[in-house]
Amino acid sequence: MQYNALLSLLLLKLALIHAALAAENIRAIFLFKDVMKSDTTALKTSGFNTLIMFGIGILDNGDIKYYSNTPGSQDVVIASGGAYVGGAALAEKVRSFKTGNDTGVNRLEISMNSQHVKNLMSRPGPGADAPLYRNFAALKEAWTLDAVNNDDESLYDVASTVTFAKMLNKIGYKYTIAPYTNVQFWRSLTTQLNSGLKEPNLAMDRVYLQCYDGGANNNPAGWTSNLGMKVVPLIWVTNDSKPVYGTTVAQARSKFSGWNQRNALAGGGYWNDYDIEKMKLSYKDYGGVLTAVFP
């Protein structure tokens, strides 16, 4: 009897923690720079609770590759043959984002496009014996990943994307999206994946809405209405690649505050860490905006 009471208390505590994390305001940043060269300490201590590693790609044989996007770094295959093959140093670095008393990060995602997804979902399919399934399972364990982010900007195949997302759910990943256009595709995807589900058990639980470059005119309220769930608008920090889309700290505060006042958001986020470091900007200043608007 006493054992059952203790077990019930533990399960209740875990449920409350899960619910609290699910309801937590999202403060995100996309990591474009090679994580072996980025400022890990600043990323962990500047107010961000979600990091999304950009540049993960699927190869035609089901292997998974990390594209560094950084001068002097090399692209590396990170999962092959159902095993993690990216090296201990890289795995240790990625895992370190969520560890230590100094970190505010509690969620780590990888972001990818849909290259080769349709073919691999057709053959050999999404089964547990398929190379892609086994590779994603191995990568999740090696890197302690929480979610896979879909940054599809060209293929937009609903059926194969739904199949792929459900495969990832079976492995233990959440699924997230980063749209900038084609709301009909994303609405169909969201509806099919989350049918019959409620927070915190949504299969596709976050929308990182691009509000820069091709998505510069996006209205978070409109996307919230179309998708039936709150969104996390993304803005681009000050940069020298496309300066017209860059956002200063003051401008970021104004944008996030205005959007949130007009229509409640799930949080806010930035594209990207590479430009913060290249332009010698402040992680704490940009992160401080998020902690102020989305405490």
Side-chain angles (χ1 to χ4, degrees):
M1 182 68 71
Q2 186 177 14
Y3 172 80
N4 289 336
L6 289 173
L7 180 60
S8 297
L9 184 62
L10 177 60
L11 290 174
L12 176 61
K13 184 176 181 180
L14 289 174
L16 291 173
I17 293 173
H18 190 190
L21 288 176
E24 181 181 33
N25 283 325
I26 299 162
R27 302 185 298 274
I29 185 169
F30 274 69
L31 309 185
F32 184 74
K33 189 173 183 178
D34 180 358
V35 296
M36 297 299 290
K37 296 187 174 184
S38 58
D39 189 340
T40 304
T41 300
L43 288 166
K44 293 170 64 172
T45 60
S46 297
F48 306 109
N49 56 26
T50 301
L51 305 182
I52 305 111
M53 289 178 58
F54 185 78
I56 306 300
I58 296 172
L59 305 185
D60 59 2
N61 65 350
D63 286 356
I64 305 173
K65 197 169 190 177
Y66 177 41
Y67 297 91
S68 69
N69 299 305
T70 305
S73 294
Q74 292 185 337
D75 303 336
V76 58
V77 174
I78 51 178
S80 179
Y84 173 72
V85 296
L90 179 57
E92 182 178 353
K93 172 64 74 173
V94 175
R95 289 196 303 268
S96 74
F97 285 126
K98 293 195 295 182
T99 59
N101 295 330
D102 62 338
T103 189
V105 178
N106 56 37
R107 175 150 163 159
L108 182 62
E109 306 186 19
I110 52 174
S111 181
M112 52 173 285
N113 59 32
S114 291
Q115 191 71 26
H116 302 303
V117 168
K118 184 176 182 179
N119 289 342
L120 288 169
M121 290 301 96
S122 174
R123 183 179 301 175
D129 291 333
L132 190 62
Y133 184 108
R134 295 168 58 228
N135 287 336
F136 268 103
L139 185 60
K140 186 181 193 306
E141 181 178 359
W143 282 7
T144 63
L145 297 172
D146 300 291
V148 173
N149 172 257
N150 181 353
D151 185 36
D152 188 355
E153 297 184 354
S154 61
L155 299 180
Y156 300 123
D157 184 77
V158 174
S160 61
T161 305
V162 168
T163 301
F164 177 60
K166 289 182 176 179
M167 181 198 80
L168 292 171
N169 289 156
K170 289 181 180 179
I171 297 171
Y173 289 97
K174 288 290 190 179
Y175 198 67
T176 70
I177 60 176
Y180 82 94
T181 190
N182 200 347
V183 67
Q184 294 84 1
F185 167 80
W186 299 109
R187 182 170 56 230
S188 179
L189 183 64
T190 302
T191 300
Q192 292 189 47
L193 287 176
N194 287 340
S195 178
L197 303 175
K198 295 182 179 180
E199 294 183 356
N201 298 313
L202 297 177
M204 197 286 289
D205 69 338
R206 293 188 181 185
V207 181
Y208 301 106
L209 178 65
Q210 297 182 47
C211 296
Y212 58 88
D213 203 351
N217 295 320
N218 276 332
N219 175 14
W223 280 80
T224 294
S225 177
N226 272 304
L227 298 183
M229 58 189 299
K230 294 180 181 180
V231 304
V232 180
L234 300 175
I235 56 180
W236 197 346
V237 301
T238 299
N239 67 88
D240 61 0
S241 178
K242 292 186 177 181
V244 67
Y245 298 117
T247 309
T248 66
V249 170
Q251 290 169 334
R253 183 182 297 271
S254 177
K255 285 187 176 184
F256 286 132
S257 296
W259 284 327
N260 198 40
Q261 288 169 5
R262 289 190 292 273
N263 190 79
L265 302 172
Y270 298 111
W271 173 261
N272 60 74
D273 70 323
Y274 182 92
D275 288 318
I276 287 180
E277 297 191 19
K278 181 182 181 183
M279 303 298 290
K280 301 187 185 308
L281 307 173
S282 169
Y283 278 111
K284 285 195 176 296
D285 288 349
Y286 277 103
V289 169
L290 297 183
T291 57
V293 180
F294 309 107

